[in-house]
Amino acid sequence: MSSISKSPAWLALSTHARDMEKRTLLELFAGDPNRATRFAIEYDEILLDYSKQRVSAETLSLLLDLARQADVEGLRRRMFAGDAINESENRAVLHVALRSDQVEFPAGRSVMGEVRECRERMREFVRLARSGKLLGSTGLPITDFVNLGIGGSDLGPRLVTEALSPAAGPEPGVHFAANFDPADLSGVLHTLNPETTLFIVASKSFSTMETLDNVRRAREWLGGRPDSGAHFAAVTANVSAARELGIDRQRIFPAWDWVGGRYSIWSAMGLSAAIAIGDDAFDALLEGARQMDAHFHTAPLEANMPVLLALLGVWNINFCGAESHAILPYCHALRKFPSYLQQLEMESNGKHVDRQGLPVDYATAPVIWGYEGTLSQHSFHQLLHQGTTVIPVDFIVPLHGPGDGKSQNLLVSNAFAQGAALLAGTPVGTAPHAASTGNRPSSTLLVDRLSPEALGQLIALYEHKVFVQGAIWNINSFDQWGVEQGKKLAHAIAEGPAIPHIDTSTAALMRRSHRG
Ligand code: F6P
């Protein structure tokens, strides 16, 4: 397959981009009184307003040609059919099965039996955990759960817990520790009681250094209780390693090779979140994602929200030179969303070779970054408004929140004000130091309120966006080989002494820290 960048659709977009450079956003709005409604799409809980992107109807039509050229629909069909589209690991990509309500899915090699069984076991465990009937080794009820995991085994459950637990009423304490740095776990444990605490070891591989080190320290903290097994549960594909730690088989929940870590919040990796928010809310989260799956699977490309979100990204990255993309949730409960999307987008699409192993000659994933608004305004918005690089922004704005009407009004108004200022800039004649050029692209994603359904739709929306971009760039979005080299070297450096062929800088640093 020749590079997508040589395709007629790509070449047409390159030419078109030079024309669009001459047209400002203000001109585009002036030329079309209906622009705000024409360049927006609504699906159930989410309105995506992309009228502040530097696109015209022709841009969209050319981008849709590119999606067809890249056969996005073909790859989508193959994912939903359970084909091994993660070629480098020869694995199917079936996180969509985790929220499916079909009896058999996918056709021919249904995984729904094991998905349902796992969900039932989760339900039972969550019921016990929330009813106070789960007892520790001394007979006291477990009141606190600590998730020990990292990456996809931490960010998803942490996001969902932080986003939804305030509305879920009284719940057990659910906490997270991910880092090697002992300050992380000890910061969590200092208020907890070993007799009433249960650790959920969340690790698909059960070989991740950070997680295993935290398990070691958790065991020490439990003080070698005769039955410390009562204080552990695990979510893993490596059952034997969990068993070696003495974790009861009944407390080991499965992970599967057809679900990547960063796509696993819908599985038992979401156990700690389900304990925090309750089973009904977790079901509603899955329901929201299921609705987005149905939309993504069936809507034509031009009326498909994940496809449009992906194409806007491709436009900014590949044709307008954007190298980063800011995610700004105007919602404290969504403060982890930028970190969550960092892993989802950059671990999935931070790739330099295509599916055939050939170097790509175009940019793939941008740097994803962000922070909650309005805190971001008092930190880095200066650069968004007046910096020398243009950074596309996604504003994510729930209209109703936990605050009183006045605070919520101020929060939402600030989000809208940022998008409007990025679009229009300052009036002609403003002194140079105070002037903003405007013409800076943004999209706004509105939800009425951050319900579990809305959050499920939002996460699934970005999952499918990443999928579509991976399809267009012809890269494998479902492996992460680049992370491995760093892990191997970290092991070697930790074990010391000298490592053959290590660079002299690292060797000197190792000597200085007595590792070499
Ligand atoms: O960072 C690499 C990675 O493999 C992620 O993809 C994954 O989410 C994380 O490590 C944790 O892996 P595990 O669940 O196997 O501990």
Side-chain angles (χ1 to χ4, degrees):
M1 184 194 208
S2 80
S3 170
I4 188 76
S5 63
K6 310 279 181 301
S7 68
W10 188 285
L11 298 176
L13 276 161
S14 300
T15 308
H16 174 69
R18 288 197 287 278
D19 291 342
M20 287 302 286
E21 262 173 28
K22 297 173 202 137
R23 304 172 70 185
T24 66
L25 272 170
L26 280 180
E27 286 163 7
L28 293 172
F29 271 92
D32 180 0
N34 296 322
R35 183 171 172 86
T37 44
R38 284 214 306 140
F39 292 82
I41 176 170
E42 190 158 10
Y43 175 72
D44 202 50
E45 302 272 351
I46 304 177
L47 169 76
L48 166 63
D49 172 354
Y50 56 95
S51 59
K52 297 191 188 78
Q53 293 287 343
R54 293 178 55 186
V55 293
S56 65
E58 187 185 355
T59 320
L60 287 182
S61 155
L62 292 172
L63 285 166
L64 288 161
D65 286 349
L66 183 70
R68 288 186 197 98
Q69 184 98 48
D71 195 20
V72 168
E73 287 159 301
L75 195 69
R76 180 180 64 179
R77 207 166 29 248
R78 293 185 62 211
M79 175 171 77
F80 280 96
D83 288 1
I85 60 169
N86 173 359
E87 290 105 350
S88 70
E89 297 177 307
N90 193 25
R91 292 174 180 172
V93 172
L94 280 174
H95 48 279
V96 288
L98 300 168
R99 54 252 187 161
S100 169
D101 59 359
Q102 292 179 38
V103 180
E104 296 292 312
F105 175 79
R109 58 150 300 195
S110 175
V111 295
M112 292 313 294
E114 41 192 334
V115 169
R116 273 192 298 272
E117 189 193 325
C118 172
R119 206 50 207 103
E120 275 317 309
R121 289 185 54 212
M122 275 178 77
R123 225 184 283 283
E124 177 65 10
F125 193 77
V126 169
R127 197 181 55 73
L128 275 176
R130 289 176 65 86
S131 67
K133 290 193 181 137
L134 208 55
L135 303 182
S137 56
T138 60
L140 289 178
I142 298 289
T143 55
D144 288 276
F145 296 81
V146 182
N147 191 84
L148 302 178
I150 198 163
S153 306
D154 168 72
L155 289 164
R158 208 189 273 255
L159 165 73
V160 170
T161 299
E162 285 182 2
L164 300 178
S165 52
E171 77 259 2
V174 174
H175 317 267
F176 295 85
N179 205 337
F180 277 127
D181 188 331
D184 193 2
L185 183 57
S186 50
V188 167
L189 295 183
H190 82 279
T191 57
L192 304 185
N193 174 358
E195 291 184 73
T196 58
T197 300
L198 185 143
F199 294 93
I200 298 174
V201 186
S203 177
K204 182 174 160 185
S205 61
F206 227 85
S207 65
T208 301
M209 285 191 279
E210 293 88 340
T211 304
L212 294 186
D213 198 52
N214 276 327
V215 172
R216 175 182 67 76
R217 289 188 305 107
R219 284 158 73 96
E220 279 170 18
W221 181 75
L222 288 169
R225 258 158 233 295
D227 181 15
S228 70
H231 293 267
F232 279 100
V235 186
T236 188
N238 188 351
V239 176
S240 56
R243 293 285 296 134
E244 271 168 33
L245 270 183
I247 301 179
D248 192 309
R249 195 174 283 280
Q250 296 306 312
R251 295 263 183 98
I252 301 176
F253 295 84
W256 298 286
D257 69 1
W258 38 266
V259 181
R262 52 193 175 272
Y263 298 88
S264 64
I265 174 60
W266 324 100
S267 71
M269 283 300 171
L271 184 62
S272 46
I275 292 170
I277 68 174
D279 219 49
D280 291 346
F282 197 78
D283 274 341
L285 181 86
L286 298 181
E287 173 65 24
R290 171 162 56 246
Q291 288 158 355
M292 187 53 75
D293 293 343
H295 167 70
F296 173 58
H297 196 179
T298 56
L301 297 184
E302 63 278 9
N304 194 310
M305 192 183 285
V307 171
L308 292 172
L309 196 60
L311 291 176
L312 295 167
V314 166
W315 171 245
N316 284 322
I317 297 158
N318 298 116
F319 302 99
C320 304
E323 291 180 352
S324 87
H325 183 122
I327 304 291
L328 304 181
Y330 272 66
C331 172
H332 184 64
L334 278 178
R335 61 196 175 279
K336 271 285 160 334
F337 204 44
S339 311
Y340 181 84
L341 291 186
Q342 280 182 324
Q343 189 199 14
L344 181 64
E345 300 216 14
M346 295 201 278
E347 198 166 78
S348 296
N349 284 344
K351 306 287 164 66
H352 71 133
V353 295
D354 66 15
R355 288 177 174 277
Q356 289 70 41
L358 299 170
V360 296
D361 58 359
Y362 41 83
T364 57
V367 176
I368 300 289
W369 60 288
Y371 196 31
E372 65 181 289
T374 61
L375 278 58
S376 54
Q377 290 175 208
H378 300 273
S379 169
F380 52 75
H381 280 222
Q382 165 62 32
L383 182 144
L384 295 181
H385 292 291
Q386 284 191 317
T388 50
T389 54
V390 172
I391 300 172
V393 178
D394 285 0
F395 293 102
I396 301 171
V397 188
L399 291 178
H400 298 96
D404 58 29
K406 180 160 187 259
S407 320
Q408 190 63 24
N409 178 34
L410 288 170
L411 184 64
V412 172
S413 303
N414 268 275
F416 294 170
Q418 297 305 305
L422 288 170
L423 154 67
T426 45
V428 179
T430 307
H433 66 273
S436 298
T437 53
N439 204 28
R440 295 176 181 234
S442 69
S443 296
T444 303
L445 291 102
L446 283 190
V447 295
D448 188 47
R449 62 180 68 244
L450 190 63
S451 62
E453 289 87 350
L455 182 61
Q457 288 185 8
L458 199 58
I459 300 173
L461 167 65
Y462 278 92
E463 283 181 349
H464 295 318
K465 169 206 161 178
V466 166
F467 175 91
V468 172
Q469 292 189 334
I472 289 174
W473 292 326
N474 187 30
I475 55 178
N476 182 352
S477 303
F478 301 101
D479 59 10
Q480 59 283 320
W481 293 96
V483 187
E484 296 308 314
Q485 167 74 344
K487 283 188 195 167
K488 277 191 210 133
L489 272 176
H491 272 297
I493 290 174
E495 277 159 23
I499 307 171
H501 312 303
I502 197 80
D503 64 88
T504 53
S505 160
T506 308
L509 293 170
M510 287 172 68
R511 279 194 300 281
R512 182 80 177 235
S513 67
H514 308 294
R515 283 171 179 77

